[in-house]
Amino acid sequence: MASPDETIRICIQMLQNISEDSTIPRNIRRVADSTRSVLQDESRSIGLRAATAISMIDEISNDPNMPVHARTRIWELVSQLETVPLD
């Protein structure tokens, strides 16, 4: 199992890939970019960053315009973030 820092690093990379994918609608890429910024903000605890990111991603996860491949990546991302302890 990866450390919380390693998990956050992996999630940041996943969000970067989503942000750069031109087949994903702009509003979803915008949220992915904002979420990436939240995860990179080291002034907050790692658990708070993960919880905030999950909340932000959850808002777009049911967007009817999201392509199937993007939805799968979003679910994978949420699964990764859920392994980060909140304390």
Side-chain angles (χ1 to χ4, degrees):
M1 187 169 165
S3 71
D5 289 326
E6 180 67 15
T7 301
I8 293 292
R9 191 189 64 70
I10 291 167
C11 291
I12 289 170
Q13 184 59 46
M14 292 170 71
L15 287 163
Q16 181 70 33
N17 292 339
I18 291 170
S19 296
E20 294 172 353
D21 187 342
S22 62
T23 65
I24 297 175
R26 200 173 310 133
N27 65 318
I28 296 168
R29 287 185 284 154
R30 208 173 297 128
V31 171
D33 196 44
S34 298
T35 304
R36 188 170 50 89
S37 296
V38 166
L39 288 176
Q40 291 173 328
D41 180 9
E42 294 191 7
S43 68
R44 299 179 181 185
S45 73
I46 198 163
L48 179 60
R49 288 186 277 161
T52 304
I54 290 169
S55 176
M56 292 173 74
I57 293 167
D58 190 48
E59 292 177 22
I60 60 161
S61 66
N62 294 317
D63 189 317
N65 297 319
M66 185 182 302
V68 175
H69 74 279
R71 190 175 314 276
T72 304
R73 287 200 266 172
I74 292 291
W75 289 339
E76 181 183 354
L77 178 65
V78 170
S79 295
Q80 286 286 321
L81 287 170
E82 286 175 341
T83 67
V84 175
L86 294 178
D87 53 352

